[in-house]
């Protein structure tokens, strides 16, 4: 691992006015300890609180902060896709803007990014959520692990350090929270190598989850089945990958 890595830190943010400021500041302070080649990106995603005002104030103070606001919500997956597309550094780290993870623990991921590793995935030491969310989370975890054949200990942990070049090889399509499953499944099926590191997960101190309500849970279930059909049954992503590789090979031999 390079002693002075090139890193993009990215936060999706929706109604995170009470937490996004501390997340950005903690990320910048952490990055300044480990590198001088960095950027911090926030994709604001249709907030109805004062998240935009907080970000505008921060952007005036920190010249390496880039803020992208979207007054019409993109969905969680849409926000992640924008963030990955805007990142310009060699490594991309992302986590949510609600402060349930500590961006300073990025320093725990870096040593695990050896030459033979492409993605370092966090796993939650202890989930800092109410009991009903912990139960639903465990059911969800075991269900998707079985359906998709995931090998990760904690596929639902949105605390990841990724080599940016992998996004030249995989194409993400989801607009919802199922994008995390799509991301890990496509990376795993493409042969990219993972390492896992334990990280802390804290109680939410501001706002409320966008995920844990019945209509959203139902939509997620429907999207989960659709994604399973595309990635596990039809394996569309692998067919597209083979077609692209064949086309590139043909162009090379001409």
């Amino acid at each position: 691992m390079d002693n002075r890595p090139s890193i993009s830190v990215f936060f999706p943010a929706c109604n995170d006015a009470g937490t996004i400021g501390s997340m950005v500041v903690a990320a910048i302070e952490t990055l300044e300890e480990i590198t001088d080649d960095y950027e911090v990106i926030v994709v604001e995603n249709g907030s109805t609180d004062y998240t935009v005002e907080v970000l505008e104030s921060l952007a005036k103070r920190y010249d390496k902060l880039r803020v992208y606001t979207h007054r019409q919500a993109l969905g969680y997956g849409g926000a992640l896709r924008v963030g990955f597309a805007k990142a310009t550094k060699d490594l991309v780290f992302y986590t949510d803007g609600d402060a349930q993870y500590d961006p300073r623990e990025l320093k725990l991921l870096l040593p695990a990014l050896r030459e033979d590793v492409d993605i370092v995935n966090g796993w939650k030491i202890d989930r800092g959520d109410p009991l009903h969310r912990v139960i639903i989370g465990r059911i969800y975890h075991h269900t998707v692990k079985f359906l998709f054949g995931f090998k990760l200990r904690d596929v639902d942990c949105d605390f990841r350090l990724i080599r940016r070049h992998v996004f030249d090889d995989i194409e993400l399509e989801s607009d919802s929270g199922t994008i995390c499953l799509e991301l890990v499944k496509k990376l795993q099926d493409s042969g990219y190598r993972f390492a896992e590191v334990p990280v802390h997960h804290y109680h939410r101190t501001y706002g409320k989850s966008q995920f844990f309500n019945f209509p959203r849970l139902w939509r997620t279930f429907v999207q989960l089945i659709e994604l399973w059909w595309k990635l596990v049954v039809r394996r569309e992503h692998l067919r597209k990958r083979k077609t692209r590789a064949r086309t590139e090979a043909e162009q090379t031999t001409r």
Side-chain angles (χ1 to χ4, degrees):
M1 184 66 223
D2 189 340
N3 289 331
R4 306 295 288 176
S6 167
I7 308 180
S8 298
V9 166
F10 155 54
F11 303 110
C14 180
N15 293 330
D16 291 325
T19 55
I20 192 61
S22 63
M23 294 291 283
V24 168
V25 172
I28 290 173
E29 291 178 348
T30 300
L31 288 164
E32 288 180 343
E33 291 180 26
I34 58 180
T35 185
D36 53 6
D37 185 10
Y38 73 87
E39 62 185 355
V40 177
I41 299 168
V42 180
V43 177
E44 187 283 320
N45 186 16
S47 297
T48 55
D49 64 0
Y50 55 97
T51 298
V52 173
E53 288 80 359
V54 171
L55 292 171
E56 288 175 345
S57 177
L58 288 168
K60 293 176 182 177
R61 180 173 179 181
Y62 297 104
D63 58 2
K64 291 192 176 183
L65 171 63
R66 295 158 55 200
V67 176
Y68 299 91
T69 59
H70 297 82
R71 303 317 308 134
Q72 185 172 358
L74 304 171
Y76 184 72
L80 256 60
R81 287 162 55 197
V82 170
F84 294 145
K86 297 296 185 182
T88 64
K89 305 302 181 181
D90 295 340
L91 306 178
V92 181
F93 166 78
Y94 86 94
T95 192
D96 297 336
D98 58 11
Q100 288 200 268
Y101 296 101
D102 183 351
R104 292 172 295 186
E105 292 192 343
L106 165 61
K107 291 188 289 186
L108 302 179
L109 304 189
L110 282 167
L113 194 69
R114 303 179 302 272
E115 289 186 4
D116 61 340
V117 171
D118 302 296
I119 307 99
V120 182
N121 206 96
W123 60 268
K124 295 182 285 291
I125 296 172
D126 188 23
R127 185 163 186 157
D129 284 323
L131 180 60
H132 71 281
R133 287 190 59 181
V134 173
I135 294 171
I136 293 173
R138 295 311 299 168
I139 294 171
Y140 178 80
H141 165 77
H142 289 295
T143 300
V144 300
K145 192 168 186 177
F146 172 75
L147 287 176
F148 291 89
F150 288 130
K151 300 173 183 177
L152 286 180
R153 177 173 183 158
D154 190 356
V155 70
D156 197 34
C157 182
D158 291 306
F159 197 86
R160 295 187 172 99
L161 180 65
I162 308 170
R163 296 192 188 276
R164 187 171 62 88
H165 70 78
V166 307
F167 296 107
D168 297 331
D169 190 37
I170 66 166
E171 180 182 358
L172 298 174
E173 303 173 28
S174 298
D175 291 327
S176 69
T178 58
I179 193 170
C180 302
L181 306 180
E182 181 189 6
L183 171 65
V184 174
K185 179 63 174 173
K186 288 183 173 180
L187 289 171
Q188 181 178 292
D189 286 357
S190 298
Y192 290 108
R193 295 150 298 185
F194 288 81
E196 295 185 86
V197 172
V199 297
H200 292 91
H201 185 262
Y202 299 98
H203 290 279
R204 181 185 291 270
T205 59
Y206 176 86
K208 62 181 181 179
S209 171
Q210 305 295 314
F211 179 75
F212 283 86
N213 60 71
F214 183 77
R216 191 175 294 272
L217 285 171
W218 174 251
R219 286 196 300 272
T220 298
F221 173 76
V222 173
Q223 292 161 351
L224 179 66
I225 297 304
E226 291 174 347
L227 188 66
W228 173 79
W229 181 259
K230 290 174 64 176
L231 300 185
V232 178
V233 178
R234 293 182 56 84
R235 298 172 68 85
E236 293 178 1
H237 59 301
L238 295 180
R239 293 208 302 269
K240 289 179 181 177
R241 196 166 187 261
K242 288 179 180 178
T243 300
R244 185 169 64 249
R246 186 166 54 248
T247 300
E248 291 173 354
E250 290 172 353
Q251 291 175 344
T252 301
T253 56
R254 287 176 184 172

